Amino acid sequence: ASFVLALQNHDVVGNDPHGRRLHQLTSPETQKAAAALILLYPSIPLLFMGEEFAADSPFRFFADFGDEHLREAVELGRAHEYPGHQGTPFISPLDPRAFSESKLPARGESSVFEWYRALIRLRKAWQSEGSLTPRGLAVNHFSEYGVFAFQYAQHGKSSRLVVARLRSLPKMFTLY
């Protein structure tokens, strides 16, 4: 049995009051680094709609409830959950724009899309050669630098190494 891993999903993105995606909260480079960790790990990766090309369209929480009490509860719940955004315009989940603005564009960032395609090809290759397995997997992290690494060591085969930096390095740090 495998776990499903994701960088983002409808709950994470939809519960941001403005429907922002990971690359909008961090950077496309950070998303690409994190995607390498998810796609080259021995689990089932889940890609959220538009993640593979860093869609700029928001994904808002949207709902269409006929029950007036439920509609009021949703509005009150959002106001309670995001009190600091009452002065900042954000769209109610009951507003039809919340749904229409969440639709994906036909295209997105091509460099991100190509990165995901390359990672998926690599994942398939590692799976077919038997490298992408928890056996022989060593995981390390260097949190002070935002660096995460894992290595697949296999008897009689070349090992596979994945290293990703998820945040900027301190100014005094030099990478050799």
Side-chain angles (χ1 to χ4, degrees), residues 56-175:
D56 281 330
S57 61
F59 181 81
R60 302 181 189 283
F61 169 48
F62 54 86
D64 184 13
F65 300 119
D67 182 320
E68 190 58 37
H69 295 291
L70 187 53
R71 293 173 66 84
E72 287 176 24
V74 166
E75 292 288 6
L76 289 172
R78 293 297 276 192
H80 177 73
E81 191 169 350
Y82 302 108
H85 290 280
Q86 290 177 356
T88 305
F90 76 95
I91 298 174
S92 162
L94 304 173
D95 186 325
R97 291 179 301 157
F99 173 72
S100 64
E101 290 182 9
S102 296
K103 293 181 180 180
L104 285 177
R107 298 175 191 246
E109 176 57 46
S110 62
S111 69
V112 174
F113 184 70
E114 290 306 318
W115 177 249
Y116 273 76
R117 286 183 61 163
L119 289 172
I120 291 169
R121 279 192 301 271
L122 192 56
R123 177 184 177 81
K124 286 180 178 181
W126 288 9
Q127 282 177 318
S128 69
E129 70 184 22
S131 295
L132 199 68
T133 174
R135 288 183 305 277
L137 174 63
V139 178
N140 290 296
H141 65 91
F142 308 95
S143 7
E144 64 272 20
Y145 303 116
V147 174
F148 296 83
F150 44 87
Q151 182 173 15
Y152 298 98
Q154 294 192 348
H155 299 289
K157 293 184 180 179
S158 299
S159 64
R160 301 293 184 208
L161 178 66
V162 179
V163 180
R165 182 173 42 89
L166 300 178
R167 64 181 169 98
S168 298
L169 293 171
K171 292 196 185 294
M172 297 184 66
F173 183 79
T174 305
L175 189 62

